Amino acid sequence: MEELDTAAPAKSPSKVITIAIVAVLTLVAGGGGWLVGGMLAPPPPKEQVDAAKEVAPNATGEEGVPKVATEANGVVQLEPITTNLAYPSENWVRLEVALQFDGIPDPAVAEQIHQDIAAYMKTVSLQQIQGPRGFQYLRDDIQERVDLRSDGRVTNVMFRTFVIQ
């Protein structure tokens, strides 16, 4: 006797159902990301935004985000540093740095930091600052010097330009 195959062949889900499932999962993931992002980095309180606008009304844009680096928002642009390297001494480096102070900037501290960075750059060799890792070590060294010189009043060192010739 022949055995009859009474089981129906398994059908694969249709493309429309698959697309709908992927769309729903994408919306759920996007909504979850938005929710977690709002919990991790909530927008600043309205009072803080208003206070920032009062301190420097022309230096802040929408939501109190700084548009330009000014002393009013705690950022001081140092004069460019141009000096030769320790080895090879034929190579020159030009470095422009901005400092972000925690509170009101102190021009005397900024000038001391400027002189300290210039003196440090004269002791650096080209081999020490080659490549991305060397640049990261340079950034870390300068940040450490700035932290020591400013007693923690400078919160961020921003490299604007860095050219080796």
Side-chain angles (χ1 to χ4, degrees), residues 76-148:
V76 175
Q77 171 75 32
L78 299 181
E79 292 294 319
I81 299 168
T82 305
T83 185
N84 60 325
L85 294 172
Y87 179 79
S89 60
E90 304 87 41
N91 288 73
W92 288 77
V93 64
R94 177 181 167 91
L95 179 67
E96 290 184 32
V97 177
L99 305 173
Q100 183 176 12
F101 281 82
D102 184 24
I104 299 172
D106 186 0
V109 172
E111 183 59 31
Q112 287 177 347
I113 291 171
H114 181 269
Q115 296 301 323
D116 193 27
I117 293 173
Y120 174 70
M121 291 306 296
K122 292 180 182 184
T123 66
V124 174
S125 69
L126 182 61
Q127 290 78 16
Q128 289 175 309
I129 57 176
Q130 280 183 329
R133 183 165 296 211
F135 180 69
Q136 184 62 43
Y137 289 147
L138 176 71
R139 284 180 51 113
D140 292 344
D141 289 345
I142 289 177
Q143 181 70 49
E144 185 177 327
R145 288 177 165 274
V146 168
D147 288 343
L148 290 173

